Amino acid sequence: MEQRVTNTKYSIRDIAEISVMAAIVFVATKLTGIPVGLGYKGVVHVGDSMIFIAAIIFKRRNAVLASAIGMGLFDLLSTAPMWTPFTLVIKGGMAYIAASIAYRNDYKGESMINNIFGFILGGIWMIGAYYLSGVVLDHYLMNFPWSQAWFIQATHIAPDVAQVVVGIIIAVPVSKIIKKANIIKQS
């Protein structure tokens, strides 16, 4: 029998899923991060694969919170904590998009093509949102003129695309194995 925490919509199971997945997202990002780009340097990592996996194996709400918390914690503890508020929204949105598409209609996260479509759209969101956020940070915090900020952040696009592609390559088989093994039961 599942217990509920008083006055919330989150069960103990939800809290455990969010906490463990946030830790996995953080560790995957921390252990594989490679700095890239100019201005406020970005980091290429495999943490996105964990976000995509969370989007397939958990309820949308839990995937969003785990992704935002895990990546937000990474930024908060990094050399560029000013990215934290952006990351909370961007990575949470990425998980939301991927999970919403994976579970639309009657797909239930089991259609590989549908999941890949969700991952791609979530990745496009992430790339665009980080590009715009980076322009704002470069202009207002680094005092670069707008024209330079747009150019500097363009150096992050290719690594972000590579990060999404690698994330998809890892997430597709791993999420399929987890779903097939029925390790995590959706409530």
Side-chain angles (χ1 to χ4, degrees):
M1 182 146 142
E2 205 169 280
Q3 296 178 354
R4 291 228 171 252
V5 176
T6 309
N7 296 329
T8 89
K9 294 187 264 182
Y10 295 95
S11 67
I12 299 296
R13 177 184 171 156
D14 289 331
I15 294 168
E17 284 178 355
I18 293 164
S19 301
V20 170
M21 198 65 204
I24 291 169
V25 169
F26 171 80
V27 170
T29 306
K30 185 73 172 167
L31 293 180
T32 62
I34 301 168
V36 297
L38 302 170
Y40 283 117
K41 291 194 181 337
V43 179
V44 173
H45 51 77
V46 298
D48 285 357
S49 64
M50 299 303 120
I51 290 173
F52 293 144
I53 291 168
I56 300 303
I57 64 173
F58 295 131
K59 291 186 268 189
R60 179 175 52 208
R61 166 187 78 180
N62 292 3
V64 168
L65 287 171
S67 301
I69 292 167
M71 287 290 186
L73 186 59
F74 171 79
D75 277 353
L76 190 62
L77 299 174
S78 76
T79 58
M82 73 290 290
W83 280 99
T84 304
F86 297 101
T87 292
L88 289 170
V89 173
I90 294 167
K91 295 300 183 168
M94 184 178 180
Y96 181 85
I97 292 166
S100 293
I101 292 172
Y103 283 88
R104 68 189 169 113
N105 301 330
D106 292 326
Y107 286 113
K108 299 178 186 173
E110 295 171 358
S111 166
M112 188 182 317
I113 299 298
N114 194 54
N115 293 352
I116 292 170
F117 180 62
F119 297 162
I120 290 169
L121 290 182
I124 290 169
W125 153 258
M126 183 210 71
I127 293 163
Y130 269 126
Y131 178 73
L132 294 174
S133 300
V135 169
V136 168
L137 285 174
D138 279 346
H139 179 72
Y140 288 109
L141 292 181
M142 297 285 284
N143 295 319
F144 287 118
W146 284 109
S147 59
Q148 286 181 353
W150 291 105
F151 174 76
I152 289 168
Q153 285 307 307
T155 67
H156 293 263
I157 295 172
D160 283 351
V161 169
Q163 179 175 298
V164 169
V165 170
V166 169
I168 292 169
I169 290 169
I170 293 169
V172 168
V174 172
S175 61
K176 186 173 183 172
I177 290 167
I178 293 170
K179 288 287 280 184
K180 189 172 187 169
N182 208 17
I183 296 168
I184 313 262
K185 296 188 187 321
Q186 295 258 327
S187 50

